[in-house]
Amino acid sequence: MTKTKEEPTGAKVETNNMSNSKQEAAASSSLIQIKDLDFFYGSKQALFNINLNMLEKEVTAFIGPSGCGKSTLLRCFNRMNDLVDIARIENGTIHIHGHDINSEEIDIIELRKKVGMVFQKSNPFPKSIYENIAYGLKIQGVKDKQILDEVVEKCLRGAALWEEVKDRLNENALGMSGGQQQRLCIARTMAVSPNIILMDEPCSALDPIATAKVEELIHELKTKYTIVIVTHNMQQAARVSDKTAFFYMGKLIELGKTDDIFMNPKQSQTEAYISGKFG
Amino acid sequence: MKRFFDDEIKDLRSKIILMGDKVTEMTNEAITALIEGNVDLAKKVIGTDDEVDNLEVEIDNDAVRYISLRAPVAKDVRIVTICMKISNNLERIGDEATSIAKRVLKLGRQKPPNSFLELGILSELAVKALRLSLESYIEGDAVLAKDLPGQDKELDRLHRKNYDGFTELISQNSEFSAQFVELILASKSLERIGDHASNIAVEVYYLLEAKDLRHHGIADK
Ligand SMILES: Nc1ncnc2c1ncn2[C@@H]1O[C@H](COP(=O)(O)OP(=O)(O)OP(=O)(O)O)[C@@H](O)[C@H]1O
Ligand SMILES: [Mg+2]
């Protein structure tokens, strides 16, 4: 058998083309696409030329030292930074489901329904457990008691909380433990049927058992939701996420499969950070 | 509380058990092939060696991944690191079985030797030691694991007997000299399989009791 000399070259070009078109396909099928994003608080730049795509039903962890811009970027996804006067996006775009979320036509209320957020400190309303979950729907005008009951149960089950609280739905949510409150906040987020759940250090105030429960929950939730989680706990990032993004001083240093980031990171800064040898 | 990654430990365990089954079968078949002069069976053994090697690599990768991503402590660390050590011993057992099978191929064209001395009983004891070491792992039987290394002396004795016996036969200017050299080496392989089975038992004991039987430990018994 003879081989022509052109074969390898031709094959190589084709592979390159394929990987390019594959990359494009991956980008367009991404649920969240961030392109060339520059972000400022007043004259201080907090994010530098961020490019990042997140796929549907994947968990992405944001890690990096304090002040590197993780929360700032997370808050861009549901335009929470709009609440900060001096905050502005100077450059770049964020698309969710193919829509530019910073364009004029975007309905912010609708956006925040689709992109739910769970905060570091659990913040249940000072109302009953039941009301905490039903509240969002009631605001939307849902009055049917049967529908509300169903959603409350479904969300509490979804947040692995139902068995613990089903007999005291009318008690004040503030009487729950910290871990229960955090899961209640996750249940509340789920009530308005989001696609994306953002979590900013959701376990930092929880003990190891409550943390494990929230991690189990995240593992369950990713069959339905796309999740972005900011965490200072490296083990947590390694355990719960599919992709990990490492940020440093407002720049995305490395993004990869969590397996690769934690077993064999490409950047020495990433390795130094995750192994606690930073600085 | 069950964690979602508990299944990863179960998978590791299943792979060890699968690998153990494979090398036990390889050892049995290699001996049968040797005694019966069955070249086809020997080729089958040699073919299985790649599967065993692949399993070892898989187990190592899974274990390193588990340690990197799951932050194990206490017994979980032992479970995962011991998997790597057991699979390493199993892989070596697979190599020994393969080397016996290769001797069958070499002998294939020659007249079968007229004596196997203690090879049959040695192979039975080697396979038994291997089976018991795996059983101690599967059942979590610390007593079994602790006793097993002591039984290795009998395998050593039988191998020495084979060595002396075959050497004697060769020196008698036997027409089977070439065959007997191969049988000495096969006997050595069986003795090594016994050693690896003991090593596995020592690792299982450490896994279960967090006590090290190696070196001094065995002498203390
Ligand atoms: N409201 C604000 N006004 C002005 N500057 C801000 C504001 N919020 C954050 N910054 C600055 O932007 C940078 C990024 O902050 P950000 O909160 O995003 O960091 P982070 O990575 O979430 O840190 P941490 O891990 O401590 O939560 C920091 O230098 C911070 O001081
Ligand atoms: Mg933050």
Side-chain angles (χ1 to χ4, degrees):
Chain A
M1 229 174 49
T2 52
K3 276 189 181 172
T4 60
K5 274 190 181 164
E6 294 85 279
E7 251 177 26
T9 337
K12 193 161 179 243
V13 171
E14 201 179 320
T15 329
N16 280 344
N17 282 344
M18 261 170 60
S19 74
N20 273 344
S21 63
K22 257 189 194 164
Q23 269 172 15
E24 275 160 29
S28 63
S29 76
S30 301
L31 189 62
I32 308 177
Q33 286 169 261
I34 305 152
K35 203 158 181 299
D36 303 331
L37 189 76
D38 289 321
F39 186 100
F40 286 76
Y41 291 108
S43 60
K44 185 175 177 292
Q45 188 162 2
L47 293 172
F48 296 81
N49 193 37
I50 305 291
N51 284 283
L52 182 58
N53 292 318
M54 280 167 275
L55 297 179
E56 202 161 358
K57 290 174 186 168
E58 260 188 1
V59 180
T60 305
F62 286 0
I63 62 171
S66 191
C68 69
K70 306 177 294 290
S71 299
T72 299
L73 183 57
L74 199 70
R75 288 194 300 258
C76 285
F77 303 155
N78 62 353
R79 292 188 48 182
M80 289 281 282
N81 290 315
D82 288 13
L83 308 173
V84 180
D85 283 341
I86 55 169
R88 68 177 196 285
I89 289 174
E90 184 76 22
N91 237 321
T93 54
I94 298 171
H95 285 81
I96 293 181
H97 272 310
H99 299 293
D100 179 349
I101 62 163
N102 292 301
S103 74
E104 299 286 313
E105 303 95 74
I106 287 290
D107 175 349
I108 294 200
I109 306 288
E110 204 52 38
L111 174 70
R112 294 202 182 131
K113 253 171 28 190
K114 290 292 161 210
V115 187
M117 185 138 182
V118 177
F119 297 87
Q120 173 173 15
K121 234 182 133 292
S122 56
N123 52 351
F125 309 126
K127 293 171 182 281
S128 72
I129 294 172
Y130 184 97
E131 283 301 317
N132 260 276
I133 297 180
Y135 185 72
L137 290 172
K138 284 185 174 173
I139 284 186
Q140 286 176 32
V142 180
K143 292 198 184 81
D144 188 331
K145 174 92 167 72
Q146 203 185 328
I147 292 179
L148 291 173
D149 285 354
E150 275 172 25
V151 172
V152 168
E153 177 169 347
K154 198 179 118 219
C155 293
L156 286 172
R157 282 191 189 281
L161 200 55
W162 176 251
E163 292 303 325
E164 288 165 63
V165 302
K166 65 179 177 202
D167 299 323
R168 49 184 181 116
L169 293 177
N170 293 316
E171 287 176 25
N172 193 307
L174 299 179
M176 303 167 89
S177 77
Q180 287 173 330
Q181 287 188 18
Q182 193 59 299
R183 280 179 286 143
L184 180 68
C185 291
I186 295 173
R188 185 178 68 191
T189 307
M190 284 155 57
V192 292
S193 335
N195 301 120
I196 299 168
I197 301 181
L198 310 173
M199 301 185 178
D200 198 347
E201 299 182 50
C203 300
S204 60
L206 304 184
D207 75 5
I209 294 166
T211 298
K213 284 191 179 163
V214 172
E215 287 182 6
E216 287 299 307
L217 179 56
I218 292 171
H219 188 72
E220 296 277 315
L221 293 180
K222 76 170 182 182
T223 57
K224 291 198 190 119
Y225 306 97
T226 303
I227 297 171
V228 187
I229 177 172
V230 171
T231 177
H232 280 285
N233 178 335
M234 291 307 105
Q235 278 105 28
Q236 177 162 76
R239 280 192 295 256
V240 302
S241 68
D242 302 302
K243 300 268 174 66
T244 296
F246 170 62
F247 296 88
Y248 182 54
M249 300 205 346
K251 296 191 176 108
L252 173 60
I253 305 296
E254 186 167 356
L255 166 75
K257 285 195 187 123
T258 298
D259 282 25
D260 295 335
I261 297 281
F262 282 90
M263 290 166 72
N264 191 18
K266 289 195 183 67
Q267 304 297 327
S268 56
Q269 279 174 315
T270 313
E271 174 139 12
Y273 182 72
I274 60 173
S275 52
K277 295 174 197 153
F278 210 67
Chain B
M1 182 183 167
K2 194 185 175 305
R3 302 300 311 268
F4 63 85
F5 44 83
D6 290 346
D7 288 345
E8 295 171 3
I9 295 257
K10 276 199 204 132
D11 284 351
L12 259 175
R13 191 181 151 81
S14 312
K15 281 181 187 169
I16 291 283
I17 294 170
L18 177 65
M19 199 176 172
D21 283 348
K22 279 193 192 292
V23 301
T24 307
E25 188 177 293
M26 282 171 80
T27 307
N28 270 324
E29 289 178 346
I31 292 304
T32 307
L34 181 70
I35 289 172
E36 293 176 357
N38 185 338
V39 171
D40 288 338
L41 193 57
K43 282 183 181 156
K44 181 182 170 231
V45 172
I46 294 164
T48 312
D49 197 39
D50 280 348
E51 292 172 33
V52 170
D53 290 351
N54 289 339
L55 271 170
E56 188 199 18
V57 173
E58 262 183 54
I59 288 167
D60 276 1
N61 287 341
D62 291 355
V64 168
R65 179 177 185 275
Y66 194 91
I67 293 167
S68 307
L69 299 185
R70 305 308 180 212
V73 295
K75 191 168 184 186
D76 284 348
V77 176
R78 296 203 300 278
I79 290 176
V80 175
T81 50
I82 261 59
C83 275
M84 297 170 88
K85 290 192 162 197
I86 293 179
S87 84
N88 179 249
N89 277 288
L90 291 173
E91 190 271 334
R92 306 270 293 274
I93 291 172
D95 284 350
E96 297 294 351
T98 302
S99 110
I100 295 172
K102 284 182 177 159
R103 306 201 180 287
V104 179
L105 297 191
K106 257 189 165 177
L107 291 172
R109 284 159 245 111
Q110 302 175 31
K111 208 173 157 197
N114 58 353
S115 172
F116 290 94
L117 296 179
E118 312 288 343
L119 261 183
I121 177 86
L122 176 59
S123 73
E124 268 171 39
L125 288 183
V127 170
K128 185 175 162 212
L130 173 55
R131 271 211 333 268
L132 290 177
S133 73
L134 291 167
E135 191 180 317
S136 76
Y137 173 72
I138 294 167
E139 303 295 334
D141 188 335
V143 177
L144 183 57
K146 192 173 185 189
D147 282 350
L148 203 57
Q151 296 168 24
D152 194 48
K153 288 191 203 88
E154 180 60 10
L155 277 86
D156 293 346
R157 191 185 68 80
L158 287 171
H159 169 60
R160 206 161 306 122
K161 213 172 151 198
N162 280 335
Y163 182 90
D164 294 342
F166 287 127
T167 312
E168 178 67 27
L169 287 170
I170 291 166
S171 71
Q172 286 163 8
N173 243 334
S174 158
E175 55 174 320
F176 297 113
S177 302
Q179 287 91 323
F180 288 145
V181 170
E182 299 300 333
L183 293 187
I184 288 177
L185 295 169
S187 175
K188 179 70 192 164
S189 285
L190 290 171
E191 186 261 327
R192 293 293 300 149
I193 288 174
D195 289 344
H196 290 303
S198 292
N199 293 346
I200 290 172
V202 168
E203 299 303 344
V204 171
Y205 189 75
Y206 176 68
L207 166 67
L208 298 172
E209 303 289 318
K211 285 188 203 129
D212 204 328
L213 285 180
R214 283 175 302 180
H215 317 307
H216 56 90
I218 294 166
D220 288 347
K221 193 179 162 275

